[in-house]
Amino acid sequence: MRAGIRAEQAVAQELAEMLAGRNRIIHDVQAKQFNIDHVVITPGGIFAVETKSRLKPAAGQGSEAAKVFYDGKGLKFPGWMETEPVEQARRQADWLARHLQAATGERLPVVAVLALPGWYVENTARITDDMVRVINPKNASWLFVKRPPVLDDAALQRAIHAVEKLAAVPAKD
């Protein structure tokens, strides 16, 4: 549990350092039966970020021991495979997209993101925005910051307001 909390804090810290200006990061967004660790709202899109902490194999096994392979469906760690974190990130992003549509009256694109602090992520397939994006948060500015705008200022503010209400954070007008 402590490792999970530390991982969420590490992701929050990395995201906060790269986001400035009109970008917003909102932590611990509440749904009825789950929470979304972080929601990043930028002119380039809305991102639902789920964080997972996974222990790496013992030191001394080289850089391959810190590498996870992602094929768009599952994660292949050294010694095991998982699909549930990818599926969870997708479910959360889909829920957030439905919530935002109900709250704002418009379809706002939400990209599902799975953050794996401390892991080098290697994609083995072409990953598109309709798929879950798997990242190491230290190397994620390409995803959050360096994207063409898809939200105008009004849509950005509506999305921020709707998500802040879920996180019980007072909206800033």
Side-chain angles (χ1 to χ4, degrees):
M1 193 157 139
R2 271 187 270 229
I5 291 169
R6 282 195 307 269
E8 285 185 32
Q9 290 170 335
V11 170
Q13 198 169 19
E14 293 294 334
L15 294 175
E17 288 180 19
M18 78 179 73
L19 296 168
R22 295 176 14 214
N23 303 313
R24 184 71 56 90
I25 179 169
I26 302 165
H27 309 287
D28 200 26
V29 173
Q30 298 297 310
K32 285 187 179 180
Q33 298 172 344
F34 62 91
N35 77 302
I36 302 171
D37 295 331
H38 315 282
V39 175
V40 178
I41 303 172
T42 75
I46 301 167
F47 306 87
V49 182
E50 175 61 24
T51 303
K52 292 297 181 193
S53 172
R54 296 294 183 261
L55 295 176
K56 290 185 247 178
Q61 297 183 18
S63 63
E64 290 299 310
K67 193 180 283 188
V68 59
F69 296 93
Y70 175 55
D71 65 2
K73 296 180 182 140
L75 306 165
K76 185 175 187 279
F77 291 92
W80 79 97
M81 294 182 66
E82 292 184 61
T83 59
E84 176 51 31
V86 175
E87 294 162 3
Q88 179 185 2
R90 166 57 44 216
R91 286 190 306 270
Q92 291 175 348
D94 290 347
W95 178 89
L96 183 59
R98 287 190 306 273
H99 175 79
L100 288 171
Q101 184 170 9
T104 67
E106 61 190 305
R107 291 178 59 104
L108 299 172
V110 177
V111 177
V113 179
L114 176 62
L116 299 171
W119 287 89
Y120 174 77
V121 178
E122 188 172 309
N123 293 325
T124 61
R126 183 175 171 272
I127 308 301
T128 61
D129 280 349
D130 62 326
M131 301 165 80
V132 175
R133 304 303 292 251
V134 179
I135 62 166
N136 176 318
K138 281 190 175 189
N139 305 317
S141 65
W142 61 270
L143 179 60
F144 300 115
V145 180
K146 300 174 182 175
R147 296 171 63 91
V150 295
L151 300 175
D152 63 21
D153 286 342
L156 199 64
Q157 289 306 311
R158 286 190 295 275
I160 289 169
H161 179 74
V163 175
E164 282 180 337
K165 286 173 66 175
L166 291 171
V169 174
K172 296 175 185 166
D173 294 327

